Every structure is written in structure tokens, then in C-alpha cells.
Coordinates of all heavy atoms in Angstrom, one line a residue:
N1 N -9.7 -14.1 -15.9 CA -9.3 -14.0 -17.3 C -8.3 -12.9 -17.5 O -8.5 -12.1 -18.4 CB -10.5 -13.9 -18.2 CG -11.4 -15.1 -18.1 OD1 -10.9 -16.3 -18.0 ND2 -12.7 -14.9 -18.1
G2 N -7.3 -12.7 -16.6 CA -6.3 -11.7 -16.7 C -6.7 -10.3 -16.1 O -5.8 -9.5 -16.0
V3 N -8.0 -10.2 -15.7 CA -8.4 -8.9 -15.1 C -8.2 -9.0 -13.6 O -8.8 -9.9 -12.9 CB -9.9 -8.6 -15.4 CG1 -10.3 -7.3 -14.7 CG2 -10.1 -8.5 -16.9
I4 N -7.3 -8.2 -13.0 CA -7.0 -8.3 -11.6 C -8.3 -8.2 -10.7 O -9.1 -7.3 -11.0 CB -6.0 -7.2 -11.2 CG1 -4.7 -7.4 -11.9 CG2 -5.8 -7.2 -9.6 CD1 -3.6 -6.4 -11.5
K5 N -8.4 -9.1 -9.8 CA -9.6 -9.0 -8.9 C -9.5 -7.9 -7.9 O -8.4 -7.5 -7.5 CB -9.7 -10.3 -8.1 CG -10.1 -11.6 -8.9 CD -10.3 -12.7 -7.9 CE -10.7 -14.0 -8.7 NZ -10.7 -15.2 -7.8
E6 N -10.6 -7.3 -7.5 CA -10.6 -6.3 -6.5 C -10.2 -6.8 -5.2 O -10.3 -8.0 -4.9 CB -11.9 -5.6 -6.4 CG -13.0 -6.2 -5.5 CD -14.2 -5.4 -5.3 OE1 -14.1 -4.3 -4.7 OE2 -15.3 -5.8 -5.8
V7 N -9.6 -5.9 -4.3 CA -9.2 -6.3 -3.0 C -10.5 -6.2 -2.1 O -10.9 -5.0 -1.8 CB -8.1 -5.4 -2.5 CG1 -7.7 -5.9 -1.0 CG2 -6.8 -5.6 -3.4
T8 N -11.1 -7.3 -1.7 CA -12.3 -7.2 -0.9 C -11.9 -7.2 0.6 O -10.8 -7.8 0.9 CB -13.2 -8.4 -1.2 OG1 -12.5 -9.6 -1.1 CG2 -13.8 -8.2 -2.6
I9 N -12.7 -6.6 1.4 CA -12.3 -6.6 2.9 C -13.4 -7.4 3.7 O -14.6 -7.1 3.5 CB -12.3 -5.1 3.4 CG1 -11.4 -4.2 2.5 CG2 -11.9 -5.0 4.8 CD1 -9.9 -4.7 2.4
N10 N -12.9 -8.3 4.4 CA -13.8 -9.2 5.3 C -14.2 -8.4 6.5 O -13.7 -7.4 6.9 CB -13.0 -10.5 5.7 CG -12.5 -11.2 4.5 OD1 -13.2 -11.3 3.5 ND2 -11.3 -11.8 4.6
A11 N -15.2 -9.0 7.2 CA -15.8 -8.4 8.4 C -14.7 -8.2 9.5 O -14.8 -7.2 10.2 CB -16.9 -9.2 8.9
D12 N -13.7 -9.1 9.5 CA -12.7 -8.9 10.6 C -11.5 -8.0 10.1 O -10.4 -8.0 10.7 CB -12.1 -10.3 11.0 CG -11.4 -11.0 9.8 OD1 -11.4 -10.5 8.7 OD2 -10.9 -12.1 10.0
T13 N -11.7 -7.3 9.0 CA -10.7 -6.3 8.4 C -9.6 -7.0 7.6 O -8.7 -6.3 7.1 CB -10.1 -5.3 9.4 OG1 -9.1 -5.9 10.2 CG2 -11.2 -4.7 10.3
T14 N -9.6 -8.3 7.6 CA -8.6 -9.0 6.7 C -9.1 -8.9 5.2 O -10.2 -8.4 5.0 CB -8.4 -10.5 7.1 OG1 -9.6 -11.1 7.0 CG2 -7.8 -10.6 8.5
C15 N -8.3 -9.3 4.3 CA -8.6 -9.2 2.9 C -9.1 -10.6 2.3 O -8.7 -11.6 2.8 CB -7.5 -8.7 2.1 SG -6.9 -7.1 2.5
G16 N -10.0 -10.5 1.3 CA -10.5 -11.7 0.6 C -9.9 -11.7 -0.8 O -8.9 -11.0 -1.1
N17 N -10.4 -12.6 -1.6 CA -10.0 -12.8 -3.0 C -8.5 -13.2 -3.2 O -7.9 -12.8 -4.1 CB -10.3 -11.5 -3.8 CG -11.6 -11.5 -4.5 OD1 -12.3 -12.6 -4.6 ND2 -12.0 -10.4 -5.0
D18 N -8.0 -13.9 -2.1 CA -6.6 -14.4 -2.2 C -5.6 -13.3 -2.0 O -4.4 -13.5 -2.2 CB -6.3 -15.2 -3.4 CG -6.7 -16.6 -3.3 OD1 -6.7 -17.1 -2.1 OD2 -7.0 -17.3 -4.3
W19 N -6.0 -12.1 -1.6 CA -5.1 -11.0 -1.2 C -4.7 -11.2 0.3 O -5.5 -11.4 1.1 CB -5.7 -9.6 -1.4 CG -6.0 -9.3 -2.8 CD1 -7.2 -9.5 -3.4 CD2 -5.1 -8.9 -3.9 NE1 -7.2 -9.2 -4.7 CE2 -5.9 -8.8 -5.1 CE3 -3.7 -8.6 -3.9 CZ2 -5.3 -8.4 -6.3 CZ3 -3.2 -8.2 -5.1 CH2 -4.0 -8.1 -6.3
V20 N -3.4 -11.3 0.6 CA -2.9 -11.6 1.9 C -3.0 -10.4 2.9 O -3.4 -10.5 4.0 CB -1.5 -12.1 1.9 CG1 -1.0 -12.5 3.3 CG2 -1.4 -13.4 1.0
C21 N -2.6 -9.2 2.3 CA -2.7 -8.0 3.1 C -2.0 -8.1 4.5 O -2.6 -7.7 5.5 CB -4.1 -7.5 3.3 SG -5.0 -7.1 1.7
E22 N -0.7 -8.4 4.5 CA 0.0 -8.5 5.8 C 0.0 -7.2 6.5 O 0.0 -7.1 7.8 CB 1.5 -8.8 5.5 CG 1.7 -10.2 4.9 CD 1.9 -10.1 3.4 OE1 1.1 -9.4 2.8 OE2 2.8 -10.8 2.9
H23 N -0.1 -6.1 5.8 CA -0.1 -4.7 6.4 C -1.4 -4.5 7.3 O -1.4 -3.6 8.1 CB 0.0 -3.6 5.4 CG -1.2 -3.5 4.5 ND1 -1.5 -4.4 3.5 CD2 -2.3 -2.6 4.5 CE1 -2.7 -4.0 2.9 NE2 -3.1 -2.9 3.5
R24 N -2.4 -5.4 7.1 CA -3.6 -5.3 7.9 C -3.6 -6.2 9.1 O -4.5 -6.2 9.9 CB -4.9 -5.6 7.0 CG -5.3 -4.4 6.2 CD -6.5 -4.8 5.3 NE -7.1 -3.6 4.7 CZ -8.3 -3.0 5.2 NH1 -8.9 -3.6 6.2 NH2 -8.8 -2.0 4.6
W25 N -2.6 -7.1 9.2 CA -2.5 -8.0 10.3 C -2.3 -7.1 11.6 O -1.5 -6.2 11.5 CB -1.4 -9.0 10.2 CG -1.5 -10.0 9.1 CD1 -2.5 -10.1 8.2 CD2 -0.6 -11.0 8.8 NE1 -2.3 -11.1 7.3 CE2 -1.1 -11.7 7.6 CE3 0.7 -11.4 9.3 CZ2 -0.4 -12.8 7.1 CZ3 1.3 -12.5 8.7 CH2 0.8 -13.2 7.6
R26 N -3.1 -7.3 12.6 CA -3.0 -6.5 13.8 C -1.5 -6.3 14.3 O -1.1 -5.2 14.6 CB -3.8 -7.1 14.9 CG -3.8 -6.3 16.2 CD -4.5 -7.0 17.4 NE -3.8 -8.2 17.8 CZ -4.3 -9.4 17.6 NH1 -5.5 -9.6 17.1 NH2 -3.5 -10.5 18.0
Q27 N -0.8 -7.4 14.3 CA 0.6 -7.3 14.9 C 1.5 -6.4 14.0 O 2.3 -5.7 14.6 CB 1.2 -8.7 14.9 CG 0.4 -9.8 15.7 CD -0.8 -10.4 14.9 OE1 -1.2 -9.9 13.9 NE2 -1.3 -11.5 15.5
I28 N 1.3 -6.4 12.7 CA 2.1 -5.6 11.8 C 1.6 -4.1 11.8 O 2.4 -3.2 12.0 CB 2.2 -6.2 10.4 CG1 3.0 -7.5 10.5 CG2 2.8 -5.2 9.4 CD1 3.0 -8.3 9.2
R29 N 0.3 -3.9 11.7 CA -0.3 -2.6 11.7 C 0.1 -1.9 13.0 O 0.4 -0.7 13.0 CB -1.8 -2.7 11.5 CG -2.6 -1.5 11.9 CD -3.5 -1.7 13.1 NE -4.5 -2.7 12.8 CZ -5.2 -3.3 13.8 NH1 -5.0 -2.9 15.1 NH2 -6.1 -4.2 13.6
N30 N 0.0 -2.6 14.1 CA 0.3 -1.9 15.4 C 1.8 -1.7 15.6 O 2.1 -0.7 16.3 CB -0.2 -2.8 16.6 CG -1.8 -2.6 16.7 OD1 -2.4 -1.7 16.1 ND2 -2.4 -3.5 17.5
M31 N 2.6 -2.4 14.9 CA 4.1 -2.1 15.0 C 4.5 -1.0 14.1 O 5.4 -0.3 14.4 CB 4.9 -3.4 14.7 CG 4.9 -4.4 15.8 SD 5.5 -3.7 17.4 CE 7.1 -3.1 17.1
V32 N 3.7 -0.7 13.1 CA 3.9 0.5 12.3 C 3.6 1.7 13.1 O 4.4 2.7 13.1 CB 3.0 0.5 11.0 CG1 2.9 1.9 10.4 CG2 3.4 -0.6 10.0
A33 N 2.6 1.6 14.0 CA 2.3 2.7 14.9 C 3.4 2.8 16.0 O 3.8 3.9 16.3 CB 0.9 2.4 15.6
F34 N 3.9 1.7 16.5 CA 5.0 1.7 17.4 C 6.2 2.5 16.9 O 6.8 3.3 17.5 CB 5.4 0.2 17.7 CG 6.5 0.1 18.7 CD1 6.3 -0.4 20.0 CD2 7.9 0.3 18.3 CE1 7.4 -0.6 20.9 CE2 8.9 0.1 19.2 CZ 8.7 -0.4 20.5
R35 N 6.5 2.2 15.6 CA 7.7 2.9 15.0 C 7.4 4.4 14.9 O 8.3 5.2 15.1 CB 8.0 2.3 13.6 CG 9.3 2.8 13.0 CD 9.6 2.2 11.7 NE 11.0 2.4 11.3 CZ 12.1 1.8 11.7 NH1 11.9 0.8 12.6 NH2 13.3 2.1 11.3
N36 N 6.2 4.8 14.6 CA 5.9 6.2 14.5 C 6.0 6.9 15.9 O 6.6 8.0 16.0 CB 4.4 6.4 14.0 CG 4.2 6.0 12.6 OD1 5.2 5.9 11.8 ND2 3.0 5.8 12.2
V37 N 5.6 6.2 16.9 CA 5.7 6.7 18.3 C 7.1 6.8 18.7 O 7.5 7.8 19.4 CB 4.9 5.9 19.3 CG1 5.1 6.3 20.7 CG2 3.4 6.0 18.9
A38 N 7.9 5.8 18.4 CA 9.3 5.8 18.8 C 10.3 6.5 18.0 O 11.5 6.6 18.2 CB 9.7 4.3 18.9
N39 N 9.8 7.1 16.9 CA 10.7 7.8 15.9 C 11.6 8.8 16.6 O 11.2 9.6 17.4 CB 9.9 8.5 14.8 CG 10.7 9.0 13.7 OD1 11.7 8.4 13.4 ND2 10.3 10.1 13.1
G40 N 12.9 8.7 16.3 CA 13.9 9.6 16.8 C 14.4 9.2 18.2 O 15.4 9.9 18.7
Q41 N 13.9 8.2 18.8 CA 14.3 7.8 20.1 C 15.5 6.8 20.0 O 15.5 5.9 19.1 CB 13.1 7.1 20.9 CG 12.0 8.0 21.2 CD 12.4 9.0 22.3 OE1 12.9 8.6 23.3 NE2 12.1 10.2 22.1
P42 N 16.4 6.8 21.0 CA 17.6 5.9 20.9 C 17.2 4.5 21.2 O 16.3 4.2 21.9 CB 18.5 6.5 21.9 CG 17.6 7.2 22.9 CD 16.5 7.7 22.1
F43 N 18.0 3.6 20.7 CA 18.0 2.2 21.0 C 18.5 2.0 22.4 O 19.5 2.6 22.8 CB 19.0 1.4 20.0 CG 19.1 0.0 20.2 CD1 18.0 -0.9 19.8 CD2 20.2 -0.6 20.7 CE1 18.1 -2.2 19.9 CE2 20.3 -2.0 20.9 CZ 19.3 -2.8 20.5
A44 N 17.7 1.4 23.3 CA 18.0 1.4 24.8 C 17.6 0.2 25.5 O 16.8 -0.6 24.9 CB 17.3 2.6 25.4
N45 N 18.1 0.0 26.7 CA 17.6 -1.1 27.7 C 17.6 -2.5 27.0 O 16.7 -3.2 27.2 CB 16.2 -0.7 28.2 CG 16.3 0.5 29.1 OD1 17.1 0.6 30.0 ND2 15.5 1.5 28.7
W46 N 18.7 -2.8 26.3 CA 18.8 -4.1 25.8 C 18.9 -5.2 26.9 O 19.6 -5.0 27.9 CB 20.0 -4.3 24.9 CG 20.3 -5.7 24.4 CD1 21.0 -6.6 25.0 CD2 19.7 -6.3 23.2 NE1 21.0 -7.8 24.2 CE2 20.2 -7.6 23.1 CE3 18.9 -5.8 22.2 CZ2 19.9 -8.5 22.1 CZ3 18.6 -6.7 21.1 CH2 19.0 -8.0 21.1
W47 N 18.2 -6.3 26.7 CA 18.3 -7.4 27.6 C 18.3 -8.7 26.8 O 17.6 -8.8 25.7 CB 17.2 -7.5 28.6 CG 17.1 -8.8 29.4 CD1 17.8 -9.1 30.5 CD2 16.4 -10.0 29.0 NE1 17.5 -10.4 30.9 CE2 16.6 -11.0 30.0 CE3 15.5 -10.3 28.0 CZ2 16.1 -12.2 29.9 CZ3 15.0 -11.5 27.9 CH2 15.2 -12.5 28.9

């Protein structure tokens, strides 16, 4: 009825209540960490 639902967290760390939470997808969360680790490093070894 117009009141935003809370963001619930499932046992597998994904979100419930129709919240998608892409930032919690393992592939995306782990690439955020990748960017932090690689910060300041040059683009290299293209294939």
C-alpha cells in the first residue's frame, strides 16, 4: 500500500521481497574486489 518493503536477505545472501540486489551476486561483488586490487595498474597483456 505504498510503503516500501524492507530488503530481506535470504540464506544464500541474495535478496528477497522482489529486490534483485545485483551487487550481491558473487560474480559482481567479486569483480568489485578485483577492481580494488587492480587499482592504478595499467591495461596489459591483451589477447
Side-chain angles (χ1 to χ4, degrees):
N1 298 319
V3 177
I4 296 181
K5 287 184 181 176
E6 83 172 291
V7 179
T8 54
I9 308 300
N10 302 322
D12 64 357
T13 77
T14 60
C15 296
N17 267 347
D18 277 332
W19 298 98
V20 180
C21 297
E22 297 96 315
H23 69 284
R24 280 176 167 261
W25 295 2
R26 179 187 67 246
Q27 302 84 345
I28 291 175
R29 163 246 295 166
N30 282 348
M31 284 307 299
V32 166
F34 179 108
R35 189 176 193 80
N36 291 343
V37 171
N39 188 33
Q41 293 289 314
F43 181 75
N45 293 307
W46 174 270
W47 169 86

